[in-house]
Amino acid sequence: MFRVGILTVSDKGSRGEREDTTHLAIREALKGGPFEVVAYEIVPDEPPLIKKALRLWADREGLDLILTNGGTGLAPRDKTPEATRELLDKEVPGLAELMRLKGLEKTPMAALSRGLAGVRGKSLILNLPGSPKGARESLEAVLPVLPHALNLITGKAWREGHHE
């Protein structure tokens, strides 16, 4: 199983003013795959707090997959991609492009998403949109390639049907 962290980036969610339903949509999309959610946190749209969580999960906890949601749009406080980019060893633009491409099949607004994907150490980090629908659709777009990508990044051997 690949160990997963879900980081919700939301000012209102972090203050308890809005219920975070996006993490539930992400968890649902991961069901049936080789994924186990082992960490979940809500932080405000503050780059230092976003980076602190990403560093902790990638460097100390050694999570295989870190999924952020929120902060990928055009609003002034949307800074998740910038905070993520500062920490990456390498970007994986094809995953972000695939998420936007699939999103464009549903809505032209997907073109406004600035989410990115990349590797830090042995962790794959994906920026998903903040809406439950957008996050789920973006994740579902890349789910078919995630096990292989994670095999390459982590060195863990996983094939459909069993874990080696």
Side-chain angles (χ1 to χ4, degrees):
M1 296 293 275
F2 294 110
R3 298 173 64 239
V4 180
I6 300 172
L7 182 66
T8 296
V9 180
S10 167
D11 287 332
K12 289 182 179 179
S14 69
R15 293 189 302 257
E17 297 172 6
R18 176 184 295 154
E19 181 184 358
D20 176 22
T21 56
T22 303
H23 83 99
L24 299 174
I26 292 169
R27 288 172 190 267
E28 184 64 29
L30 293 172
K31 279 186 178 175
F35 306 104
E36 177 187 9
V37 176
V38 298
Y40 165 68
E41 188 176 345
I42 301 176
V43 298
D45 291 270
E46 295 290 341
L49 296 176
I50 296 167
K51 290 189 284 189
K52 179 181 177 184
L54 294 177
R55 275 195 299 270
L56 172 71
W57 288 356
D59 301 350
R60 196 156 28 149
E61 301 294 328
L63 300 187
D64 304 312
L65 177 62
I66 301 170
L67 303 171
T68 71
N69 67 90
T72 62
L74 301 178
R77 295 216 15 106
D78 289 340
K79 303 282 186 186
T80 303
E82 289 80 6
T84 303
R85 181 173 280 120
E86 288 182 32
L87 301 178
L88 296 179
D89 297 325
K90 61 179 90 170
E91 287 193 40
V92 186
L95 290 176
E97 291 164 5
L98 181 57
M99 290 189 290
R100 276 187 282 279
L101 179 67
K102 288 296 186 179
L104 284 167
E105 293 174 3
K106 310 270 183 178
T107 175
M109 300 306 167
L112 302 179
S113 176
R114 300 177 312 107
L116 57 85
V119 177
R120 177 178 177 90
K122 291 191 172 205
S123 299
L124 177 62
I125 302 172
L126 300 178
N127 297 152
L128 305 174
S131 74
K133 185 175 187 285
R136 183 181 179 121
E137 289 174 355
S138 293
L139 183 54
E140 288 174 344
V142 297
L143 273 177
V145 300
L146 284 185
H148 182 66
L150 292 168
N151 284 342
L152 295 170
I153 294 164
T154 67
K156 292 182 179 178
W158 183 88
R159 289 186 306 178
E160 183 108 22
H162 72 284
H163 180 75
E164 295 176 0

